[in-house]
Amino acid sequence: GTGSNILSALQDLFWLLKSKVEKQLQIISVLQWVLTFLIMGIACTLILMYILCTDCWAIAALYLAWLVFDWNTPKKGGRRSQWVRNWAIWRYFRDYFPIRLVKTHNLLTTRNYIFGYHPHGIMGLGAFCNFSTEATGVGQKFPGIRPYLATLAGNFRMPILRDYLMSGGICPVNRDSIDYILSKNGSGNAIVIVVGGAAESLNCTPGKNSVTLKNRKGFVKLALRHGADLVPVYSFGENEVYKQVIFEEGSWGRWVQKKFQKHIGFAPCIFHGRGLFSSNTWGLLPYSKPITTVVGEPITIPKIDNPSQKDVDFYHSMYVDSLIKLFDKYKSKFGLPETEVLEVN
């Protein structure tokens, strides 16, 4: 009996230690992504400039020569790596929140798609985990579909960062890149566009479900030009993982944010999550709140080389209605009351 009790205690201790190790690995995996998002581009640029001033300048010179040669690769579908997409670190990243991907309909491999992802949140954590890694099984759930998460083109001007992003299947959110993927890369491609962009990130806060969409019609026009089906995607919980200081319209803070958004492409947000060692302190780590990304029913889009504004408005209206229906259908399943309404701005 004593031996059995000792063995049982050792097993309990083992599982406790294993649980603590896994939690630490989850924190490390999320922290590396947050630092990548915030400072990797600038840090790599400064390091490269420093190396140019040392005895190892030839290494930096060779990389810069390669950069010039490889400059247009992001515009041509990038250079994805299944090995990187399947890194174990992304599974720890997924389990930290946790993040889930919900499939509602099959997607034909004979078609191309534009996924509209909502809401942006602070960092688009659900978009990254679901579509730039295989942690939630996007390849198994949508066999034959290649997702490309579109992000700011400026990120691909940063050394090292550009290669890291491309390895996950991330591409610039500009017309050249999207045109190439949807017209010269065969079928079965899915461009994931966070439609609300920087403007939407300025209004994200826990407990609020709102999207910036009324005047965002460029993605619909692209879909019509290429005959790519539109797919609404909503991430429940994306706004819950960070707390943000919201500046009112007309305030100096909002004026500064809009100036940055207009001239640089992103809007600086004042936000915080939890601390590295305690959830009761402020820090850069997001709160471990569940994020559930639901991929809705595709809207069949005809190919129109020069779509009229009437065409764009018609399919944009269909898309908005489809997104609202998706939200209403699944909101109660993921912790929202039946009375919750999706605010479309």
Side-chain angles (χ1 to χ4, degrees):
T2 303
S4 178
N5 289 337
I6 292 173
L7 181 60
S8 177
L10 288 174
Q11 287 177 336
D12 290 343
L13 179 62
F14 170 77
W15 288 113
L16 179 63
L17 290 173
K18 183 180 178 181
S19 176
K20 287 186 175 181
V21 169
E22 286 186 349
K23 187 61 181 177
Q24 293 305 312
L25 289 173
Q26 290 170 12
I27 289 173
I28 291 169
S29 69
V30 175
L31 179 62
Q32 68 84 26
W33 170 246
V34 170
L35 294 178
T36 295
F37 183 90
L38 295 175
I39 66 172
M40 183 177 177
I42 295 173
C44 288
T45 302
L46 293 174
I47 290 171
L48 198 65
M49 292 172 63
Y50 171 76
I51 293 174
L52 279 171
C53 300
T54 68
D55 293 338
C56 298
W57 64 268
I59 296 174
L62 283 172
Y63 179 79
L64 290 173
W66 160 253
L67 193 62
V68 172
F69 174 78
D70 195 55
W71 191 254
N72 289 322
T73 298
K75 299 178 183 178
K76 297 180 179 179
R79 190 168 45 246
R80 76 171 54 217
S81 166
Q82 284 301 115
W83 175 66
V84 173
R85 288 174 62 88
N86 281 290
W87 277 353
I89 195 172
W90 306 131
R91 294 193 290 276
Y92 289 113
F93 182 100
R94 171 200 66 197
D95 294 340
Y96 173 85
F97 297 92
I99 296 173
R100 290 177 54 211
L101 179 66
V102 176
K103 170 186 174 180
T104 62
H105 291 78
N106 292 323
L107 299 180
L108 299 175
T109 57
T110 55
R111 299 285 293 174
N112 283 324
Y113 301 90
I114 292 181
F115 286 17
Y117 184 92
H118 314 268
H120 184 286
I122 295 293
M123 297 185 185
L125 294 164
F128 168 76
C129 185
N130 285 306
F131 301 112
S132 293
T133 80
E134 293 296 330
T136 56
V138 64
Q140 288 73 44
K141 291 176 180 177
F142 299 102
I145 302 298
R146 293 180 298 277
Y148 294 85
L149 177 60
T151 188
L152 289 175
N155 289 324
F156 297 89
R157 302 187 187 102
M158 301 285 189
I160 310 300
L161 175 63
R162 67 189 292 277
D163 301 289
Y164 189 38
L165 295 178
M166 283 194 291
S167 68
I170 301 177
C171 68
V173 62
N174 58 31
R175 181 169 171 176
D176 289 343
S177 177
I178 295 173
D179 282 348
Y180 182 91
I181 293 171
L182 294 180
S183 64
K184 298 179 182 178
N185 202 40
S187 59
N189 301 293
I191 303 285
V192 183
I193 300 177
V194 186
V195 178
E200 191 172 85
S201 69
L202 296 178
N203 295 313
C204 71
T205 188
K208 186 174 184 179
N209 288 283
S210 66
V211 296
T212 301
L213 183 58
K214 280 184 180 178
N215 297 315
R216 299 294 175 105
K217 301 181 180 181
F219 73 105
V220 178
K221 190 172 184 178
L222 281 169
L224 285 165
R225 289 180 63 244
H226 294 285
D229 293 349
L230 289 171
V231 181
V233 179
Y234 196 86
S235 259
F236 294 90
E238 184 72 63
N239 285 346
E240 307 300 316
V241 296
Y242 279 111
K243 296 179 181 179
Q244 181 184 189
V245 177
I246 304 293
F247 293 101
E248 296 295 330
E249 289 293 338
S251 66
W252 67 270
R254 183 53 64 99
W255 179 85
V256 170
Q257 289 176 322
K258 287 188 173 181
K259 285 296 180 182
F260 265 84
Q261 179 189 337
K262 180 179 179 180
H263 297 292
I264 301 178
F266 74 92
C269 302
I270 299 177
F271 66 93
H272 74 84
R274 53 155 290 182
L276 182 60
F277 302 106
S278 170
S279 59
N280 297 320
T281 59
W282 287 11
L284 288 177
L285 278 177
Y287 294 104
S288 52
K289 303 287 187 178
I291 298 175
T292 306
T293 302
V294 185
V295 180
E297 182 178 4
I299 303 168
T300 303
I301 303 293
K303 189 177 187 303
I304 305 175
D305 291 334
N306 294 297
S308 65
Q309 189 60 48
K310 185 178 180 180
D311 294 325
V312 174
D313 290 343
F314 175 75
Y315 285 101
H316 181 267
S317 177
M318 283 184 62
Y319 178 86
V320 173
D321 290 342
S322 182
L323 178 65
I324 292 173
K325 288 178 182 176
L326 179 71
F327 178 85
D328 289 340
K329 182 177 180 180
Y330 289 94
K331 61 186 178 183
S332 61
K333 294 182 180 180
F334 303 120
L336 297 178
E338 282 290 348
T339 54
E340 185 72 19
V341 176
L342 179 62
E343 181 183 329
V344 181
N345 298 313

